[in-house]
Amino acid sequence: MQLLSAHAGNWTGDGTGVTVVLPPPGTVGSGEVRGGAPATREFDLLHPSRTVDRVDAVVLSGGSAFGLAAADGVMTVLRERGLGFPTPLGPVPIVVGMSIFDASVAGTPPSAGSGRAATLAALRGDELAVGTAGAGAGATTGKWRGRLDRGGLGRADGRAGPARVTALAVVNAWGDVLTPAGEPVFGGPETYQPAVPFGRDNTTIAVVLTDARLGKADCHLLAQSGHTGFARALHPAHSRYDGDAVVALATGEVTDGVDLDLLRAVTAEVMAEAIRAAVTHP
């Protein structure tokens, strides 16, 4: 399924899964982590001061640190197709990974084979299911209430002048998902529970894409605006018990009339909509 000019695919297992985003060659990317307990791969290279500015794939997965292995399968597929950062010994695909904590940590978390399957689904153009699918298959929310409310994978789209924006979010938050009015989607009284037994079993991870032509520092600002969307649709967001992270990708087809500040404002709204869609999709 296309996300602007990128493609995305899922592999869904038993209470866990993988979602892969494959942007077109030359896509510029950056990102930011704000949660206290992240599980990430190759995230340091997204900092604006790092040399490499392109991203060949972003992998969202369950399984916490174990699930980061899904990115190995994505790298293999891309290498087979000659894609990646050029080096004297051949291309090295730049594959960024982010994982949520789900029940597969105690069982069979996503593997390199899972990542490969999700990548091939993206390349085939298979329909991208949302809700309890892909990396959102084992996601839950509301754990700060001592509950396991619905989580999942959500998508939303918007426009900032001539540029388009798409957000894809895997919502596995410690807190609640909020309506646009600021009320918990699943309601109920405020019954905050201590961190145990749901202490670090959380994370919301997301990708925001735009077809605007942006530099790496601009993409970093866009990722920050994605986190603004987290703060609008999650309460609490960016806790010590979440690994909240956003990757921003700019595919670069639109060059004229791009207003970065408008793009950032729209990104915050679109990200909030994607988070809500993750738990309200039929």
Side-chain angles (χ1 to χ4, degrees), residues 34-38 174 192 195 199-200 202 236-244:
R34 290 195 186 176
W174 185 54
Y192 168 77
R200 290 175 174 80
N202 322 289
H238 308 131
S239 78
R240 292 179 298 155
Y241 311 119
D242 290 280
D244 296 347

Side-chain angles (χ1 to χ4, degrees), residues 131-145:
T132 53
T140 55
T141 61
K143 285 162 277 191
W144 78 317
R145 297 176 180 266

Side-chain angles (χ1 to χ4, degrees), residues 226-261:
H227 280 293
T228 301
F230 279 32
R232 292 178 182 176
L234 297 170
H235 178 69
H238 308 131
S239 78
R240 292 179 298 155
Y241 311 119
D242 290 280
D244 296 347
V246 177
V247 171
L249 304 174
T251 58
E253 293 90 353
V254 177
T255 59
D256 296 328
V258 174
D259 184 320
L260 179 60
D261 291 301

Side-chain angles (χ1 to χ4, degrees), residues 92-170:
V92 177
I94 305 301
V95 178
V96 177
M98 301 179 282
S99 290
I100 68 166
F101 192 109
D102 59 23
S104 71
V105 170
T108 305
S111 63
S114 310
R116 182 180 183 88
T119 305
L120 295 176
L123 292 171
R124 287 193 304 266
D126 292 358
E127 181 180 359
L128 184 75
V130 294
T132 53
T140 55
T141 61
K143 285 162 277 191
W144 78 317
R145 297 176 180 266
R147 302 192 323 220
L148 293 176
D149 294 326
R150 183 178 177 183
L153 174 68
R155 175 188 176 171
D157 304 275
R159 181 175 288 276
R164 294 177 296 165
V165 181
T166 292
L168 198 64
V170 179

Side-chain angles (χ1 to χ4, degrees), residues 177-185 232-233 269 272 276:
V177 177
L178 304 180
T179 69
E183 298 295 328
V185 169
R232 292 178 182 176
E269 289 298 318
R276 296 177 185 120

